[in-house]
Amino acid sequence: MKGSHAIYLVTMKKYPNGITATQLSGLCQKDKAAVSRALAELEDRNLIRKEGASYRAQLFLTKEGETAADFV
């Protein structure tokens, strides 16, 4: 897992009711494109799930994502 992935997971752990990619980008001070690529990888690994479309989608950690965030 890349360092940026760990940062996103830990940040998302602080928002159990969901967070958008735009909010995550601002909080982590990362480029939207970089966040988008990382979120796609995390979703492929079943660490996060999206509800909605594009940057307005709410992002949530899966059980596996919560475990990974706790480990970090």
Side-chain angles (χ1 to χ4, degrees), residues 1-10 30 34 37-38 41-42 45 47 72:
M1 178 182 308
K2 295 179 182 179
S4 60
H5 293 176
I7 291 169
Y8 301 145
L9 291 175
V10 170
K30 298 287 184 178
R37 285 189 298 272
E41 286 184 44
L42 293 173
R45 292 180 182 181
L47 296 175
V72 172

Side-chain angles (χ1 to χ4, degrees), residues 6 12 17-20 29 33-34 36 38 41-42 44 49 56 59 65-66 69-70 72:
M12 289 177 66
N17 294 325
I19 187 170
T20 65
Q29 298 180 350
S36 181
E41 286 184 44
L42 293 173
D44 288 345
R49 65 182 171 84
R56 293 182 182 170
L59 305 169
E66 288 183 24
D70 289 339
V72 172

Side-chain angles (χ1 to χ4, degrees), residues 10-44:
V10 170
T11 302
M12 289 177 66
K13 177 86 173 164
K14 296 176 183 179
Y15 296 89
N17 294 325
I19 187 170
T20 65
T22 303
Q23 291 170 320
L24 190 61
S25 175
L27 289 169
C28 297
Q29 298 180 350
K30 298 287 184 178
D31 180 66
K32 285 184 188 179
V35 171
S36 181
R37 285 189 298 272
L39 292 177
E41 286 184 44
L42 293 173
E43 190 173 22
D44 288 345

Side-chain angles (χ1 to χ4, degrees), residues 45-65:
R45 292 180 182 181
N46 197 34
L47 296 175
I48 66 167
R49 65 182 171 84
K50 291 181 185 177
E51 287 184 9
S54 74
Y55 281 103
R56 293 182 182 170
Q58 289 291 309
L59 305 169
F60 301 91
L61 292 176
T62 62
K63 281 272 196 205
E64 293 85 1

